[in-house]
Structures are given as structure tokens and as C-alpha cells.
């Protein structure tokens, strides 16, 4: 039984033609992707506590829980609202693919 073979030069030409024929950038379809949801402040803080707990002593865990509760009752909601507004504005203007995008790149 005979199998047709393609030489490396021909294969490279096929691959190059397929990848450059559309002239799209790597992120051309970024706006079509499903957006990441912003987790609630409570969910974020609970994940934070779960993540850092193995690294803390019992006393440090209690201090951490207290600080998280204080943050939840003071600055947290305002900062959460600013994040939601930032995401909504970026979505409406088409300037932001995800609420973490700009900060991830910094």
C-alpha cells in the first residue's frame, strides 16, 4: 500500500499560507470570547482566606479573618463597585477584553 508524502518545503508553504492569508492579529477574536464574570466580593474574600490559611498560624488566621471582615464592611464594597464600573465601561467602549487584562499586563 502506497502513502503519498509531502516534503517539508511544501508543508511549510501550506502552513504559512493558512496562517497569513487572513492577516489577523493574535488577539483579533478577543472581543468575541466570553467575558470572565467578576466574582462577588464575599466570594473573593473567602477564596483569599482559604488560600492564605495554610500559611498562617492560628493567631494570624484570626487576625486575617478580622481584617477581611473589616474590609468587607468598609472599603471593600466601594472598591468592588469601582471594579464593576471599570469592567462595564471597558466593555461598552470595546477597550477592555477582561477586567484583569490591564492589571495582568502591568
Amino acid at each position: 500500500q502506497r502513502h503519498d508524502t509531502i516534503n517539508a518545503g511544501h508543508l511549510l508553504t501550506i502552513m504559512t499560507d493558512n496562517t497569513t492569508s487572513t492577516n489577523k492579529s493574535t488577539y483579533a477574536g478577543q472581543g468575541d470570547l466570553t467575558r470572565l464574570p467578576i466574582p462577588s466580593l464575599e466570594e473573593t474574600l473567602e477564596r483569599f482566606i482559604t488560600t492564605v490559611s495554610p500559611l498562617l498560624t492560628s493567631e494570624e488566621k484570626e487576625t486575617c479573618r478580622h481584617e477581611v471582615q473589616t474590609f468587607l464592611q468598609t472599603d471593600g464594597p466601594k472598591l468592588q463597585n469601582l471594579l464593576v464600573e471599570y469592567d462595564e465601561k471597558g466593555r461598552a467602549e470595546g477597550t477592555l477584553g477582561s477586567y484583569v487584562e490591564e492589571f495582568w499586563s502591568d
Side-chain angles (χ1 to χ4, degrees):
Q1 183 176 354
R2 183 175 178 271
H3 295 283
D4 290 328
T5 59
I6 299 175
N7 70 36
H10 183 66
L11 182 59
L12 183 59
T13 301
I14 292 170
M15 291 171 57
T16 303
D17 287 347
N18 286 338
T19 57
T20 59
S21 62
T22 58
N23 289 329
K24 290 186 177 182
S25 74
T26 302
Y27 302 105
Q30 190 80 10
D32 298 330
L33 297 174
T34 303
R35 297 178 66 84
L36 291 172
I38 296 178
S40 70
L41 180 59
E42 294 78 8
E43 181 183 352
T44 300
L45 294 175
E46 188 58 42
R47 285 182 176 189
F48 171 74
I49 291 171
T50 300
T51 301
V52 300
S53 284
L55 306 173
L56 304 176
T57 65
S58 295
E59 185 178 311
E60 290 170 330
K61 285 180 195 177
E62 283 306 311
T63 301
C64 181
R65 287 184 198 282
H66 175 72
E67 293 298 323
V68 163
Q69 283 303 313
T70 300
F71 181 73
L72 185 59
Q73 296 168 1
T74 57
D75 296 329
K78 180 179 178 182
L79 292 171
Q80 180 78 3
N81 286 336
L82 287 172
L83 179 61
V84 170
E85 289 172 12
Y86 173 79
D87 182 61
E88 289 172 352
K89 181 180 177 188
R91 181 183 312 201
E93 295 175 354
T95 58
L96 192 62
S98 167
Y99 66 94
V100 297
E101 181 179 328
E102 185 175 334
F103 306 109
W104 184 269
S105 299
D106 283 349

Short mmCIF file of all heavy atoms in Angstrom, two decimals, residues 36-91:
data_model
loop_
_atom_site.label_atom_id
_atom_site.label_comp_id
_atom_site.label_asym_id
_atom_site.label_seq_id
_atom_site.Cartn_x
_atom_site.Cartn_y
_atom_site.Cartn_z
N LEU A 36 -15.00 36.99 31.38
CA LEU A 36 -14.90 36.42 32.72
C LEU A 36 -15.85 37.17 33.65
O LEU A 36 -15.85 38.40 33.66
CB LEU A 36 -13.47 36.55 33.26
CG LEU A 36 -12.40 35.70 32.61
CD1 LEU A 36 -11.03 36.11 33.14
CD2 LEU A 36 -12.66 34.24 32.86
N PRO A 37 -16.64 36.45 34.42
CA PRO A 37 -17.51 37.14 35.37
C PRO A 37 -16.69 37.69 36.54
O PRO A 37 -15.68 37.10 36.92
CB PRO A 37 -18.47 36.05 35.83
CG PRO A 37 -17.72 34.78 35.65
CD PRO A 37 -16.82 35.01 34.46
N ILE A 38 -17.12 38.78 37.10
CA ILE A 38 -16.47 39.32 38.28
C ILE A 38 -17.09 38.61 39.49
O ILE A 38 -18.29 38.70 39.70
CB ILE A 38 -16.66 40.84 38.40
CG1 ILE A 38 -15.98 41.53 37.22
CG2 ILE A 38 -16.11 41.35 39.73
CD1 ILE A 38 -16.16 43.03 37.20
N PRO A 39 -16.26 37.90 40.25
CA PRO A 39 -16.82 37.22 41.43
C PRO A 39 -17.28 38.25 42.46
O PRO A 39 -16.80 39.38 42.49
CB PRO A 39 -15.65 36.40 41.97
CG PRO A 39 -14.43 36.89 41.30
CD PRO A 39 -14.83 37.69 40.10
N SER A 40 -18.22 37.84 43.29
CA SER A 40 -18.69 38.75 44.34
C SER A 40 -17.53 39.03 45.30
O SER A 40 -16.57 38.26 45.40
CB SER A 40 -19.85 38.12 45.11
OG SER A 40 -19.38 37.03 45.89
N LEU A 41 -17.65 40.12 46.01
CA LEU A 41 -16.63 40.47 46.99
C LEU A 41 -16.52 39.39 48.06
O LEU A 41 -15.42 39.00 48.45
CB LEU A 41 -16.97 41.83 47.63
CG LEU A 41 -15.99 42.34 48.68
CD1 LEU A 41 -14.59 42.50 48.11
CD2 LEU A 41 -16.50 43.66 49.26
N GLU A 42 -17.66 38.88 48.49
CA GLU A 42 -17.66 37.83 49.52
C GLU A 42 -16.94 36.57 49.02
O GLU A 42 -16.16 35.97 49.76
CB GLU A 42 -19.11 37.49 49.92
CG GLU A 42 -19.83 38.61 50.64
CD GLU A 42 -20.35 39.72 49.71
OE1 GLU A 42 -20.30 39.57 48.47
OE2 GLU A 42 -20.80 40.74 50.23
N GLU A 43 -17.20 36.19 47.78
CA GLU A 43 -16.54 35.01 47.21
C GLU A 43 -15.03 35.22 47.11
O GLU A 43 -14.24 34.33 47.45
CB GLU A 43 -17.11 34.71 45.83
CG GLU A 43 -16.51 33.48 45.18
CD GLU A 43 -17.04 33.23 43.78
OE1 GLU A 43 -18.00 33.92 43.34
OE2 GLU A 43 -16.50 32.34 43.12
N THR A 44 -14.63 36.40 46.67
CA THR A 44 -13.21 36.72 46.55
C THR A 44 -12.52 36.65 47.91
O THR A 44 -11.43 36.06 48.05
CB THR A 44 -13.02 38.11 45.93
OG1 THR A 44 -13.62 38.11 44.64
CG2 THR A 44 -11.55 38.48 45.83
N LEU A 45 -13.15 37.23 48.92
CA LEU A 45 -12.54 37.25 50.25
C LEU A 45 -12.49 35.85 50.86
O LEU A 45 -11.52 35.50 51.54
CB LEU A 45 -13.27 38.23 51.15
CG LEU A 45 -13.15 39.70 50.72
CD1 LEU A 45 -14.02 40.59 51.59
CD2 LEU A 45 -11.70 40.16 50.73
N GLU A 46 -13.50 35.05 50.61
CA GLU A 46 -13.50 33.67 51.10
C GLU A 46 -12.38 32.87 50.44
O GLU A 46 -11.68 32.10 51.10
CB GLU A 46 -14.86 33.01 50.85
CG GLU A 46 -15.00 31.66 51.51
CD GLU A 46 -14.80 31.71 53.03
OE1 GLU A 46 -15.31 32.64 53.68
OE2 GLU A 46 -14.13 30.80 53.57
N ARG A 47 -12.21 33.07 49.16
CA ARG A 47 -11.10 32.39 48.45
C ARG A 47 -9.74 32.86 48.98
O ARG A 47 -8.81 32.07 49.10
CB ARG A 47 -11.18 32.66 46.95
CG ARG A 47 -12.26 31.89 46.26
CD ARG A 47 -12.23 32.16 44.78
NE ARG A 47 -13.22 31.35 44.09
CZ ARG A 47 -13.30 31.26 42.79
NH1 ARG A 47 -12.45 31.92 42.01
NH2 ARG A 47 -14.21 30.52 42.22
N PHE A 48 -9.66 34.15 49.28
CA PHE A 48 -8.42 34.68 49.84
C PHE A 48 -8.09 33.99 51.17
O PHE A 48 -6.97 33.52 51.37
CB PHE A 48 -8.54 36.20 50.05
CG PHE A 48 -7.39 36.78 50.82
CD1 PHE A 48 -6.15 36.94 50.23
CD2 PHE A 48 -7.55 37.16 52.15
CE1 PHE A 48 -5.08 37.47 50.94
CE2 PHE A 48 -6.50 37.69 52.86
CZ PHE A 48 -5.26 37.85 52.26
N ILE A 49 -9.07 33.91 52.05
CA ILE A 49 -8.85 33.27 53.35
C ILE A 49 -8.45 31.80 53.17
O ILE A 49 -7.51 31.32 53.80
CB ILE A 49 -10.11 33.39 54.25
CG1 ILE A 49 -10.30 34.84 54.67
CG2 ILE A 49 -10.00 32.48 55.47
CD1 ILE A 49 -11.62 35.12 55.37
N THR A 50 -9.14 31.10 52.28
CA THR A 50 -8.82 29.70 52.02
C THR A 50 -7.41 29.55 51.48
O THR A 50 -6.69 28.61 51.86
CB THR A 50 -9.84 29.11 51.01
OG1 THR A 50 -11.15 29.21 51.55
CG2 THR A 50 -9.53 27.67 50.68
N THR A 51 -6.99 30.47 50.64
CA THR A 51 -5.66 30.39 50.02
C THR A 51 -4.54 30.66 51.03
O THR A 51 -3.53 29.97 51.04
CB THR A 51 -5.56 31.38 48.85
OG1 THR A 51 -6.57 31.05 47.89
CG2 THR A 51 -4.20 31.31 48.18
N VAL A 52 -4.72 31.66 51.87
CA VAL A 52 -3.63 32.04 52.78
C VAL A 52 -3.62 31.24 54.08
O VAL A 52 -2.59 31.16 54.75
CB VAL A 52 -3.63 33.56 53.11
CG1 VAL A 52 -3.45 34.37 51.84
CG2 VAL A 52 -4.85 33.98 53.88
N SER A 53 -4.73 30.63 54.43
CA SER A 53 -4.84 29.91 55.71
C SER A 53 -3.72 28.90 55.97
O SER A 53 -3.18 28.84 57.07
CB SER A 53 -6.20 29.24 55.85
OG SER A 53 -7.17 30.21 56.15
N PRO A 54 -3.35 28.07 54.99
CA PRO A 54 -2.27 27.11 55.26
C PRO A 54 -0.93 27.75 55.61
O PRO A 54 -0.04 27.10 56.17
CB PRO A 54 -2.15 26.31 53.96
CG PRO A 54 -3.44 26.51 53.26
CD PRO A 54 -3.92 27.87 53.66
N LEU A 55 -0.78 29.01 55.29
CA LEU A 55 0.48 29.71 55.54
C LEU A 55 0.51 30.44 56.88
O LEU A 55 1.54 30.99 57.26
CB LEU A 55 0.73 30.72 54.41
CG LEU A 55 0.69 30.17 52.98
CD1 LEU A 55 0.77 31.31 51.98
CD2 LEU A 55 1.80 29.17 52.77
N LEU A 56 -0.62 30.46 57.58
CA LEU A 56 -0.75 31.26 58.79
C LEU A 56 -0.87 30.42 60.05
O LEU A 56 -1.37 29.30 60.02
CB LEU A 56 -2.00 32.15 58.67
CG LEU A 56 -2.09 33.07 57.45
CD1 LEU A 56 -3.43 33.80 57.45
CD2 LEU A 56 -0.94 34.05 57.41
N THR A 57 -0.42 31.01 61.15
CA THR A 57 -0.64 30.38 62.45
C THR A 57 -2.10 30.61 62.84
O THR A 57 -2.80 31.40 62.20
CB THR A 57 0.27 31.02 63.53
OG1 THR A 57 -0.14 32.40 63.68
CG2 THR A 57 1.74 30.93 63.15
N SER A 58 -2.56 29.96 63.88
CA SER A 58 -3.94 30.14 64.34
C SER A 58 -4.22 31.60 64.67
O SER A 58 -5.29 32.14 64.33
CB SER A 58 -4.21 29.27 65.55
OG SER A 58 -4.12 27.92 65.21
N GLU A 59 -3.28 32.23 65.33
CA GLU A 59 -3.45 33.64 65.70
C GLU A 59 -3.50 34.52 64.45
O GLU A 59 -4.33 35.43 64.34
CB GLU A 59 -2.29 34.09 66.60
CG GLU A 59 -2.45 35.50 67.12
CD GLU A 59 -1.31 35.88 68.06
OE1 GLU A 59 -1.00 35.09 68.99
OE2 GLU A 59 -0.74 36.97 67.84
N GLU A 60 -2.64 34.26 63.49
CA GLU A 60 -2.62 35.03 62.25
C GLU A 60 -3.91 34.83 61.45
O GLU A 60 -4.41 35.77 60.83
CB GLU A 60 -1.41 34.64 61.40
CG GLU A 60 -0.09 35.10 61.98
CD GLU A 60 1.12 34.50 61.27
OE1 GLU A 60 1.01 33.37 60.75
OE2 GLU A 60 2.17 35.17 61.26
N LYS A 61 -4.45 33.62 61.49
CA LYS A 61 -5.72 33.35 60.80
C LYS A 61 -6.84 34.19 61.39
O LYS A 61 -7.66 34.76 60.65
CB LYS A 61 -6.10 31.87 60.89
CG LYS A 61 -5.31 30.98 59.99
CD LYS A 61 -5.77 29.53 60.16
CE LYS A 61 -4.75 28.59 59.56
NZ LYS A 61 -5.11 27.19 59.75
N GLU A 62 -6.89 34.27 62.71
CA GLU A 62 -7.93 35.08 63.36
C GLU A 62 -7.77 36.55 63.00
O GLU A 62 -8.75 37.24 62.72
CB GLU A 62 -7.89 34.89 64.87
CG GLU A 62 -8.50 33.58 65.32
CD GLU A 62 -9.92 33.40 64.79
OE1 GLU A 62 -10.76 34.32 64.92
OE2 GLU A 62 -10.20 32.32 64.23
N THR A 63 -6.54 37.04 63.00
CA THR A 63 -6.28 38.42 62.61
C THR A 63 -6.70 38.65 61.17
O THR A 63 -7.34 39.66 60.84
CB THR A 63 -4.78 38.77 62.80
OG1 THR A 63 -4.43 38.57 64.17
CG2 THR A 63 -4.47 40.19 62.37
N CYS A 64 -6.37 37.71 60.31
CA CYS A 64 -6.72 37.81 58.90
C CYS A 64 -8.24 37.85 58.72
O CYS A 64 -8.76 38.69 57.99
CB CYS A 64 -6.11 36.62 58.13
SG CYS A 64 -6.46 36.65 56.36
N ARG A 65 -8.94 36.95 59.40
CA ARG A 65 -10.41 36.92 59.30
C ARG A 65 -11.01 38.26 59.78
O ARG A 65 -11.94 38.78 59.18
CB ARG A 65 -10.97 35.78 60.12
CG ARG A 65 -10.75 34.43 59.52
CD ARG A 65 -11.44 33.33 60.35
NE ARG A 65 -10.91 32.03 60.07
CZ ARG A 65 -11.22 31.31 58.99
NH1 ARG A 65 -12.06 31.79 58.11
NH2 ARG A 65 -10.70 30.11 58.81
N HIS A 66 -10.44 38.79 60.84
CA HIS A 66 -10.92 40.08 61.36
C HIS A 66 -10.68 41.19 60.33
O HIS A 66 -11.58 42.02 60.08
CB HIS A 66 -10.22 40.42 62.68
CG HIS A 66 -10.56 41.77 63.20
ND1 HIS A 66 -11.79 42.08 63.75
CD2 HIS A 66 -9.84 42.92 63.23
CE1 HIS A 66 -11.81 43.35 64.09
NE2 HIS A 66 -10.63 43.88 63.78
N GLU A 67 -9.50 41.22 59.74
CA GLU A 67 -9.18 42.26 58.74
C GLU A 67 -10.07 42.11 57.51
O GLU A 67 -10.50 43.12 56.93
CB GLU A 67 -7.70 42.18 58.34
CG GLU A 67 -6.74 42.56 59.45
CD GLU A 67 -6.91 44.00 59.92
OE1 GLU A 67 -7.19 44.88 59.08
OE2 GLU A 67 -6.77 44.25 61.13
N VAL A 68 -10.34 40.89 57.11
CA VAL A 68 -11.22 40.65 55.96
C VAL A 68 -12.63 41.16 56.27
O VAL A 68 -13.27 41.81 55.43
CB VAL A 68 -11.22 39.15 55.57
CG1 VAL A 68 -12.40 38.81 54.68
CG2 VAL A 68 -9.91 38.79 54.88
N GLN A 69 -13.14 40.89 57.46
CA GLN A 69 -14.47 41.38 57.85
C GLN A 69 -14.51 42.91 57.87
O GLN A 69 -15.48 43.52 57.42
CB GLN A 69 -14.89 40.81 59.21
CG GLN A 69 -15.34 39.38 59.14
CD GLN A 69 -16.50 39.20 58.16
OE1 GLN A 69 -17.47 39.93 58.14
NE2 GLN A 69 -16.37 38.19 57.32
N THR A 70 -13.45 43.51 58.36
CA THR A 70 -13.37 44.97 58.39
C THR A 70 -13.39 45.52 56.97
O THR A 70 -14.12 46.47 56.66
CB THR A 70 -12.10 45.44 59.13
OG1 THR A 70 -12.15 44.94 60.47
CG2 THR A 70 -11.96 46.95 59.13
N PHE A 71 -12.61 44.92 56.09
CA PHE A 71 -12.55 45.33 54.68
C PHE A 71 -13.93 45.17 54.03
O PHE A 71 -14.37 46.04 53.27
CB PHE A 71 -11.50 44.51 53.94
CG PHE A 71 -11.35 44.87 52.49
CD1 PHE A 71 -10.73 46.04 52.10
CD2 PHE A 71 -11.83 44.02 51.50
CE1 PHE A 71 -10.59 46.38 50.76
CE2 PHE A 71 -11.70 44.33 50.16
CZ PHE A 71 -11.07 45.51 49.79
N LEU A 72 -14.60 44.08 54.33
CA LEU A 72 -15.93 43.80 53.78
C LEU A 72 -16.95 44.86 54.22
O LEU A 72 -17.87 45.18 53.47
CB LEU A 72 -16.39 42.41 54.22
CG LEU A 72 -17.70 41.88 53.66
CD1 LEU A 72 -17.66 41.82 52.14
CD2 LEU A 72 -17.99 40.50 54.23
N GLN A 73 -16.75 45.43 55.40
CA GLN A 73 -17.70 46.41 55.92
C GLN A 73 -17.28 47.86 55.66
O GLN A 73 -18.05 48.78 55.94
CB GLN A 73 -17.87 46.19 57.42
CG GLN A 73 -18.49 44.85 57.74
CD GLN A 73 -18.41 44.50 59.22
OE1 GLN A 73 -17.92 45.27 60.03
NE2 GLN A 73 -18.91 43.32 59.56
N THR A 74 -16.07 48.06 55.12
CA THR A 74 -15.60 49.44 54.91
C THR A 74 -15.29 49.68 53.43
O THR A 74 -16.19 49.98 52.65
CB THR A 74 -14.38 49.74 55.79
OG1 THR A 74 -13.34 48.79 55.51
CG2 THR A 74 -14.73 49.68 57.27
N ASP A 75 -14.04 49.55 53.04
CA ASP A 75 -13.60 49.90 51.68
C ASP A 75 -13.98 48.88 50.61
O ASP A 75 -14.08 49.22 49.43
CB ASP A 75 -12.08 50.07 51.65
CG ASP A 75 -11.60 51.23 52.49
OD1 ASP A 75 -12.36 52.21 52.61
OD2 ASP A 75 -10.48 51.17 53.01
N GLY A 76 -14.18 47.64 51.00
CA GLY A 76 -14.42 46.57 50.03
C GLY A 76 -15.56 46.82 49.06
O GLY A 76 -15.36 46.74 47.83
N PRO A 77 -16.76 47.14 49.55
CA PRO A 77 -17.87 47.35 48.62
C PRO A 77 -17.63 48.49 47.63
O PRO A 77 -17.99 48.39 46.46
CB PRO A 77 -19.05 47.66 49.55
CG PRO A 77 -18.70 46.94 50.82
CD PRO A 77 -17.21 47.11 50.94
N LYS A 78 -17.01 49.58 48.09
CA LYS A 78 -16.73 50.70 47.20
C LYS A 78 -15.75 50.28 46.10
O LYS A 78 -15.95 50.59 44.92
CB LYS A 78 -16.14 51.87 47.98
CG LYS A 78 -15.84 53.08 47.12
CD LYS A 78 -15.29 54.23 47.92
CE LYS A 78 -14.96 55.38 47.00
NZ LYS A 78 -14.38 56.52 47.71
N LEU A 79 -14.71 49.55 46.48
CA LEU A 79 -13.73 49.09 45.51
C LEU A 79 -14.34 48.07 44.54
O LEU A 79 -14.04 48.08 43.34
CB LEU A 79 -12.50 48.50 46.21
CG LEU A 79 -11.67 49.52 46.97
CD1 LEU A 79 -10.61 48.82 47.82
CD2 LEU A 79 -11.03 50.51 46.02
N GLN A 80 -15.22 47.22 45.04
CA GLN A 80 -15.91 46.26 44.18
C GLN A 80 -16.76 46.99 43.15
O GLN A 80 -16.75 46.64 41.97
CB GLN A 80 -16.78 45.32 45.02
CG GLN A 80 -17.54 44.28 44.22
CD GLN A 80 -16.68 43.11 43.78
OE1 GLN A 80 -15.51 43.02 44.10
NE2 GLN A 80 -17.28 42.21 43.04
N ASN A 81 -17.46 48.03 43.58
CA ASN A 81 -18.28 48.82 42.65
C ASN A 81 -17.42 49.51 41.60
O ASN A 81 -17.80 49.57 40.43
CB ASN A 81 -19.11 49.84 43.40
CG ASN A 81 -20.27 49.21 44.14
OD1 ASN A 81 -20.74 48.14 43.79
ND2 ASN A 81 -20.73 49.88 45.19
N LEU A 82 -16.26 50.02 42.00
CA LEU A 82 -15.35 50.65 41.03
C LEU A 82 -14.87 49.63 40.00
O LEU A 82 -14.75 49.94 38.82
CB LEU A 82 -14.16 51.28 41.75
CG LEU A 82 -14.45 52.56 42.54
CD1 LEU A 82 -13.23 52.96 43.37
CD2 LEU A 82 -14.86 53.67 41.60
N LEU A 83 -14.59 48.41 40.45
CA LEU A 83 -14.16 47.35 39.53
C LEU A 83 -15.26 47.01 38.54
O LEU A 83 -15.02 46.88 37.34
CB LEU A 83 -13.74 46.10 40.31
CG LEU A 83 -13.29 44.91 39.48
CD1 LEU A 83 -12.06 45.25 38.65
CD2 LEU A 83 -13.02 43.71 40.37
N VAL A 84 -16.48 46.89 39.01
CA VAL A 84 -17.63 46.59 38.14
C VAL A 84 -17.83 47.72 37.13
O VAL A 84 -18.02 47.47 35.93
CB VAL A 84 -18.91 46.34 38.97
CG1 VAL A 84 -20.13 46.28 38.08
CG2 VAL A 84 -18.76 45.05 39.78
N GLU A 85 -17.74 48.96 37.58
CA GLU A 85 -17.87 50.11 36.68
C GLU A 85 -16.76 50.12 35.63
O GLU A 85 -17.00 50.40 34.46
CB GLU A 85 -17.85 51.42 37.47
CG GLU A 85 -19.09 51.66 38.29
CD GLU A 85 -18.96 52.87 39.21
OE1 GLU A 85 -18.00 53.66 39.07
OE2 GLU A 85 -19.84 53.02 40.09
N TYR A 86 -15.55 49.82 36.06
CA TYR A 86 -14.39 49.75 35.16
C TYR A 86 -14.62 48.71 34.08
O TYR A 86 -14.39 48.95 32.89
CB TYR A 86 -13.15 49.44 36.00
CG TYR A 86 -11.90 49.16 35.22
CD1 TYR A 86 -11.15 50.20 34.68
CD2 TYR A 86 -11.44 47.86 35.05
CE1 TYR A 86 -9.98 49.95 33.98
CE2 TYR A 86 -10.27 47.60 34.36
CZ TYR A 86 -9.55 48.65 33.83
OH TYR A 86 -8.39 48.40 33.14
N ASP A 87 -15.11 47.55 34.47
CA ASP A 87 -15.38 46.47 33.53
C ASP A 87 -16.50 46.86 32.57
O ASP A 87 -16.38 46.65 31.36
CB ASP A 87 -15.76 45.20 34.29
CG ASP A 87 -16.02 44.03 33.37
OD1 ASP A 87 -15.09 43.63 32.64
OD2 ASP A 87 -17.15 43.50 33.38
N GLU A 88 -17.57 47.43 33.08
CA GLU A 88 -18.70 47.83 32.23
C GLU A 88 -18.29 48.90 31.23
O GLU A 88 -18.67 48.86 30.05
CB GLU A 88 -19.86 48.32 33.09
CG GLU A 88 -20.54 47.21 33.85
CD GLU A 88 -21.56 47.69 34.87
OE1 GLU A 88 -21.65 48.92 35.11
OE2 GLU A 88 -22.26 46.84 35.46
N LYS A 89 -17.49 49.86 31.67
CA LYS A 89 -17.02 50.93 30.77
C LYS A 89 -16.12 50.34 29.68
O LYS A 89 -16.27 50.66 28.51
CB LYS A 89 -16.27 51.99 31.56
CG LYS A 89 -15.76 53.13 30.71
CD LYS A 89 -15.01 54.16 31.54
CE LYS A 89 -14.46 55.25 30.64
NZ LYS A 89 -13.58 56.16 31.36
N GLY A 90 -15.21 49.47 30.06
CA GLY A 90 -14.32 48.84 29.09
C GLY A 90 -15.07 48.00 28.08
O GLY A 90 -14.74 47.96 26.89
N ARG A 91 -16.12 47.33 28.55
CA ARG A 91 -16.95 46.52 27.66
C ARG A 91 -17.72 47.42 26.68
O ARG A 91 -17.75 47.17 25.49
CB ARG A 91 -17.93 45.69 28.48
CG ARG A 91 -18.82 44.79 27.66
CD ARG A 91 -19.82 44.06 28.51
NE ARG A 91 -19.19 43.46 29.66
CZ ARG A 91 -19.69 42.46 30.35
NH1 ARG A 91 -20.85 41.94 30.00
NH2 ARG A 91 -19.08 41.98 31.41
#
